[in-house]
Amino acid sequence: MGGRISRRRALWLAGGALALPAVGCGVGLAVREDRPKEPEPLGPAQVTGVAHHSITQSFVHVIAHPDDNLYFMNPDLDHALASGAACVTVCLTDGESDGRNVLHTELGRVVRADRPAYTRARINGLTAALALLATGDENSPWDVSLVSYLDGRLVEQHTLRAAPQVQLILLALVEARSVSLPRAASLRGLWLGETEALETLPPVRSGLPAGAAYSREQLIATLHSVLDHYRPTVVRTLDPNPDHSPKPPKDPRSGHVYLDHQDHTYSAYFAQAALARHWAGDRARNATVEHYLGYVNAALPHNLDQAAVGRKVLALNSYGWADNRRCGDPAGCGDRKVGAGALRNGWAQSTRYRAPGSGAWLVPLPDGRLAAFGLLNGAAVQWTQSPRGWDGPRRLAGTGLEGQVQAFRQGDGLIRLLGVRTMLRYAADEHRREIVTAVQTGRDSFGPWESLGAPDGEDPVRSMEFGYPVGLALADGTVQVAARTWGGTVAVRTLSGAGETWTALTLPPHAGGGVQDGLGAVVDGYGNTHVFAPGPRTVVHWASDVPGGPLRPAPPTGLPVPGGPVTAELGEEGALRVRFREPKSARVLTAERAPASEAWRVVAESAPPGGFGRVAVADGAMAVRDDRGRTALRADGRDWQHDGPLLAHTPALAADRDGRLVAVAIGCDGHLYSARQPVPGAPFGAWSQAG
């Protein structure tokens, strides 16, 4: 049950604000027969002064350490705070590290380790940064209470007094205290069953009981209860599928070394498990999920423009206590290890989704209507144009889908969907992902999802790293599917009947190393297949010599390093065309290669729309995420049109039966929104919600 912290402790925590009463919070959890019985939760939520869920949308960010959402989920975090909707951060561990709160330049200085105090300083830094983003005042006070989302387990809950829809929930579990070395007392150890329970380490002046611990079931059940309480329409986690290091491990017994913190990975697994239970119950609203890359950003081209980086640094400086402000807490007012060095490690200059986004999820039906496909609550859904606007979303069969979905018309006119499914398991040799596909069977119906396996075969560990598929319909009626492999090249599979296998393509030397996810693909006027990938030095290109033939490395493109996914299309007179973001500016670069030429050249550079991510295209028009987290549209050489809902995933474009371009986007409220040209060639009209 909930308890009450003393007035003195409340004043320490809230900067002079009296803490809210700590009362029980939770909702009933269904017990399924296929898993152990969960601990009994408390009854219906009765928390007072707590944001609960917003009417239209709410955001839940699940992080491992107190600075994770500031480094890896911003500027999306900033946009969520600005929306006025419920915006909740759930921090699983203290991030107590070595317990020494010293500047990076002072790491050699002898300082007494005090992990509870360092944790409190980090939490003070996080609340200051959140307050700064939400209100403009890093000193805006918070009210703090002890709350139970699961009987017998207390969490520290912070509520921003000036904006009570902004909250922080701290579970205070111990962290792994190592980026990659295995340790039983960690989120990793808890997930894999190497420890029965993971202890908490209460920060100083917390009121959380000493000696508490969470079993795996209790942690999942707590997150489940948090999700049921806030009913989020957007859930954000860290990366469940980090890239492995190409360098061999120093100790072969330790297995692969990954380019991210192990706590990031396993916090995402716990969030995925809780989401599956939340969606299986009756409290869930339509929600999207986004997973964010972590430490690997330091090795990738910086994809944010100067304004976005500056805004992130502003928050991180507040978190790092760079201004030496006085907050009244002797534990410290921020994380000195970050200090004023937010740019030092290369993380703040980028924000990337694990799923690079598909701009191909709006397709015409045989009768001329448009159909849009997306992912809500781990399942594919369909919206269809109607005289009233759009019908849907209608859920298609199948669960466990994640990241993104692609839709395209086959040669027979039927729509094929491509996606990725995760089989979430507690054993590393059973936890795996696979590429799946479903084909239209009727006017508005689809067959079951069928597995296409993984590009690297049956190895479950390697399956965790493959990229998101792109598909192409060939003139002979077959379908080709391409995806990034564990080893950093691309594999292709042709769907033509029995005996299909994945074939890994040769990575050309001029690529400069393994490619990143975010493939583009197109069939040219001669029926040949072209696949493009963002490489560390340039855009990498593979092509077939004959329709349906094997793909081989094409001559070097010589194009600039892309800042993200590459989108391919056919340009005028059959020219190959690719579009991608320029690093550090977010501008869209357009490059073309004429049919009779092997030379690529950049033919257009857009005005910077801000934002990051894939460029969606149709008939020469573009749609992107902009600097406000909304959609920027550009057609016929006009200026960008910035509008639309706060965006989830990637927008899409297609021409309707009258030749008018239609843009669609899934909002952070789980609804579909659309905008169209009143006549072909005109600017886009206003955005409207489907339904």
Side-chain angles (χ1 to χ4, degrees), residues 98-475:
D98 62 359
R100 294 176 171 87
N101 193 12
V102 295
L103 295 170
H104 178 73
T105 55
E106 300 176 328
L107 292 181
R109 185 163 62 91
V110 177
V111 176
R112 184 178 65 86
D114 189 339
R115 288 189 168 101
Y118 180 48
T119 297
R120 175 60 64 208
R122 295 192 75 176
I123 294 301
N124 287 341
L126 176 55
T127 54
L130 292 173
L132 179 66
L133 293 176
T135 71
D137 180 8
E138 65 183 2
N139 296 309
S140 191
W142 294 72
D143 295 325
V144 186
S145 57
L146 300 184
V147 172
S148 178
Y149 286 91
L150 188 73
D151 194 15
R153 296 295 177 273
L154 294 173
V155 300
E156 194 176 279
Q157 185 155 290
H158 301 239
T159 302
L160 184 57
R161 190 182 302 169
Q165 74 277 7
V166 179
Q167 292 187 298
L168 166 65
I169 297 172
L170 174 66
L171 274 66
L173 294 163
V174 296
E175 71 154 8
R177 300 180 188 173
S178 169
V179 172
S180 58
L181 291 178
R183 180 171 178 258
S186 65
L187 291 176
R188 174 190 173 277
L190 188 63
W191 179 267
L192 296 177
E194 295 176 358
T195 185
E196 290 297 318
L198 186 60
E199 293 184 350
T200 62
L201 179 66
V204 292
R205 292 176 297 280
S206 170
L208 289 174
Y214 286 77
S215 69
R216 182 170 61 196
E217 276 299 314
Q218 288 168 335
L219 179 52
I220 295 172
T222 298
L223 291 174
H224 180 179
S225 186
V226 170
L227 294 170
D228 276 358
H229 179 66
Y230 289 99
R231 304 184 65 210
T233 56
V234 175
V235 177
R236 293 168 174 157
T237 84
L238 299 166
D239 188 2
N241 310 116
D243 296 339
H244 71 282
S245 172
K247 299 179 181 179
K250 295 180 180 179
D251 183 351
R253 295 172 300 176
S254 66
H256 299 298
V257 175
Y258 291 91
L259 302 176
D260 205 357
H261 198 294
Q262 59 179 304
D263 285 345
H264 295 174
T265 307
Y266 286 89
S267 71
Y269 292 172
F270 278 104
Q272 287 177 315
L275 275 168
R277 298 182 185 183
H278 172 62
W279 290 335
D282 59 5
R283 294 284 298 164
R285 297 190 286 178
N286 286 338
T288 57
V289 179
E290 208 71 82
H291 306 296
Y292 293 78
L293 270 60
Y295 291 174
V296 72
N297 277 315
L300 301 177
H302 297 157
N303 68 349
L304 295 179
D305 62 20
Q306 184 176 357
V309 173
R311 181 77 173 165
K312 286 183 74 171
V313 168
L314 187 70
L316 284 162
N317 282 347
S318 183
Y319 167 80
W321 196 11
D323 59 357
N324 295 307
R325 66 186 177 277
R326 294 184 179 181
C327 65
D329 192 332
C333 306
D335 184 353
R336 290 291 200 191
K337 283 185 168 63
V338 172
L343 299 177
R344 172 177 51 83
N345 46 35
W347 303 335
Q349 295 92 322
S350 297
T351 299
R352 284 184 172 86
Y353 303 136
R354 170 47 62 192
S358 170
W361 51 275
L362 179 66
V363 292
L365 298 171
D367 61 10
R369 297 176 301 157
L370 293 176
F373 298 87
L375 293 182
L376 294 175
N377 296 5
V381 296
Q382 176 182 347
W383 292 269
T384 307
Q385 272 187 324
S386 71
R388 299 183 304 275
W390 296 84
D391 292 335
R394 183 176 62 84
R395 178 171 172 153
L396 309 182
T399 59
L401 301 180
E402 45 94 354
Q404 64 190 53
V405 64
Q406 183 197 0
F408 60 97
R409 290 274 295 276
Q410 300 182 144
D412 58 10
L414 298 178
I415 296 173
R416 180 179 288 272
L417 305 179
L418 287 172
V420 171
R421 180 166 57 199
T422 293
M423 281 72 75
L424 198 64
R425 302 290 187 270
Y426 299 133
D429 59 354
E430 298 177 5
H431 192 167
R432 64 171 59 237
R433 297 162 71 236
E434 61 182 358
I435 294 174
V436 292
T437 186
V439 179
Q440 186 182 19
T441 56
R443 187 172 183 266
D444 289 311
S445 61
F446 281 79
W449 289 94
E450 298 178 358
S451 175
L452 300 180
D456 294 288
E458 297 299 318
D459 187 337
V461 174
R462 293 193 174 200
S463 78
M464 299 303 291
E465 287 188 54
F466 69 70
Y468 289 82
V470 294
L472 289 173
L474 305 187

Side-chain angles (χ1 to χ4, degrees), residues 47-62:
V47 176
T48 59
V50 175
H52 201 47
H53 65 270
S54 302
I55 294 175
T56 57
Q57 61 186 5
S58 58
F59 301 82
V60 169
H61 306 78
V62 180

